[in-house]
Amino acid sequence: MIIDAHCDVLWKLLNDSSLDFYKDEQDLQLNYPNMLKGDISLQIFAIFVSPTIKSSNYKIALQSIDDFYEKVYNQDKLILATSYQEIVHAQNQGKKVAMLSLEGADSIEGDLAKLRIFYRLGVRAMGLTWNYANAVADGVREERGAGLTNFGKKVIAEMNRLGMIIDVSHLSEAGFWDVMELTNTPIIASHSNAKAICDHPRNLTDEQIIAVIKNNGMIGVTFVNEFIKNESQVSIEDLLPHIEHIASLGGIQNLGIGSDFDGASPLSGLENASQMNHLKELLLKKFSEKEVEGILGENWLNYFQRVL
């Protein structure tokens, strides 16, 4: 069983209506045939709206959700889960499972009612920012590096009330610490690596990693080349030091996968979801079989049992 906490398939489908999720499309790193080959049991689909879009973020996000229901959801093959019980039920039926997450709170347009509407449409997680500032907080690329706004604090409280997962990937460091102070539920960094291994703004410091561990949250190591190594040639082997480092800080049970398939350039040796067995083989060289099962899926499943 493999669980992947982040992909940008819906963004690709939004931009190219000719793509078919159920065909072996070369233009999709993650599609249904590759999920089968890669043994991915559960995939979280991000709903992303580019900052270059000059339309309503809310409207575009709704279009992506419609694309999910029309082009990805399939009662016989891949169904949407909104609770731990639904995940287990679908897996017992031999079906693939999808979950929905907003990548950036820009789509709620400063309105808690819109957050609740997304929740009622099946969205169970939200990243508070993308790389830049919005009504909730600053992202990692915002030079001032501010934390949560007053509205952002209300968003945290409402997400806690709804039982919605808070995702701190892309969030400024000040925003991260604001969240840790306010939240009463375990959080996630769905697709972030270790800053001690690769000094990139999108990666987590050791202090942040330890805080996520103490919070009983999850970190999804990601396959984005720039977040793995500051060199032009990056391969799957270079991902291992990030996993070992997080584990060395006490996070072996807080480690998972957040690939970012279809949102970044392919990683050598792990170009698409069909090749997840390559990662399993690599992990087994350094970790026990039980630990590898945890990293690839069981840790995420245990997390969902805690929060959903």
Side-chain angles (χ1 to χ4, degrees):
M1 176 186 68
I2 295 175
I3 294 175
D4 178 13
H6 189 88
C7 77
D8 280 306
V9 169
L10 295 181
W11 176 241
K12 278 196 174 177
L13 294 179
L14 187 69
N15 285 279
D16 187 350
S17 59
S18 70
L19 292 174
D20 188 335
F21 181 76
Y22 284 90
K23 289 185 179 178
D24 196 6
E25 296 271 11
Q26 294 300 311
D27 290 333
L28 286 177
Q29 292 173 284
L30 187 134
N31 50 38
Y32 187 74
N34 283 347
M35 286 184 74
L36 292 176
K37 295 172 189 173
D39 195 29
I40 295 177
S41 299
L42 187 155
Q43 178 67 53
I44 298 182
F45 290 83
I47 300 157
F48 174 67
V49 180
S50 170
T52 62
I53 294 291
K54 302 305 179 185
S55 179
S56 162
N57 287 58
Y58 178 66
K59 182 179 178 181
I60 298 298
L62 289 177
Q63 180 61 59
S64 258
I65 292 175
D66 184 61
D67 283 345
F68 170 80
Y69 280 105
E70 292 297 314
K71 299 176 180 180
V72 178
Y73 179 90
N74 183 303
Q75 187 62 45
D76 297 321
K77 296 179 179 178
L78 188 150
I79 63 175
L80 179 69
T82 60
S83 70
Y84 173 74
Q85 290 77 14
E86 289 177 356
I87 293 170
V88 173
H89 181 66
Q91 290 180 331
N92 289 341
Q93 290 183 317
K95 297 176 182 179
K96 300 295 184 185
V97 186
M99 292 178 66
L100 292 175
S101 174
L102 285 171
E103 187 169 15
D106 307 66
S107 296
I108 69 173
E109 297 181 336
D111 187 349
L112 292 178
K114 289 177 179 174
L115 175 67
R116 291 189 288 270
I117 288 168
F118 282 123
Y119 181 85
R120 290 166 185 141
L121 289 171
V123 178
R124 286 296 178 270
M126 183 172 73
L128 300 180
T129 68
W130 191 57
N131 288 334
Y132 304 103
N134 60 23
V136 170
D138 278 8
V140 295
R141 290 293 190 183
E142 202 68 43
E143 289 185 6
R144 64 183 174 179
L148 293 177
T149 63
N150 288 336
F151 175 69
K153 293 173 183 178
K154 293 178 182 178
V155 168
I156 297 301
E158 186 65 358
M159 290 180 75
N160 279 175
R161 186 186 73 84
L162 291 169
M164 203 169 181
I165 296 167
I166 298 167
D167 185 354
V168 298
S169 282
H170 288 286
L171 184 62
S172 68
E173 187 168 352
F176 172 92
W177 292 113
D178 285 346
V179 169
M180 299 310 292
E181 183 178 335
L182 292 171
T183 187
N184 58 29
T185 62
I187 60 93
I188 69 171
S190 64
H191 56 306
S192 296
N193 290 340
K195 199 166 188 175
I197 304 301
C198 178
D199 189 9
H200 190 283
R202 276 280 287 101
N203 287 340
L204 300 171
T205 65
D206 284 2
E207 292 76 16
Q208 288 175 301
I209 292 168
I210 291 168
V212 174
I213 294 167
K214 289 181 178 178
N215 172 256
N216 217 9
M218 283 288 293
I219 298 166
V221 290
T222 189
F223 306 162
V224 180
N225 287 261
E226 300 92 313
F227 306 166
I228 297 173
K229 199 173 184 180
N230 290 318
E231 293 183 14
S232 57
Q233 299 295 320
V234 185
S235 71
I236 184 174
E237 287 80 10
D238 296 315
L239 188 61
L240 194 58
H242 290 272
I243 297 171
E244 290 182 295
H245 183 74
I246 295 169
S248 75
L249 295 174
I252 191 65
Q253 294 180 326
N254 307 86
L255 268 164
I257 301 300
S259 70
D260 210 353
F261 281 135
D262 294 295
S265 301
L267 175 63
S268 177
L270 197 48
E271 284 84 2
N272 60 58
S274 73
Q275 299 175 342
M276 292 296 280
N277 63 304
H278 295 174
L279 179 58
K280 183 176 182 179
E281 291 167 2
L282 182 67
L283 290 172
L284 285 170
K285 294 178 181 179
K286 296 289 184 176
F287 298 96
S288 70
E289 188 168 345
K290 184 178 180 181
E291 289 171 334
V292 171
E293 288 175 356
I295 295 166
L296 293 179
E298 288 293 338
N299 290 345
W300 276 119
L301 194 61
N302 292 337
Y303 172 81
F304 294 138
Q305 187 175 20
R306 294 195 292 273
V307 301
L308 294 176

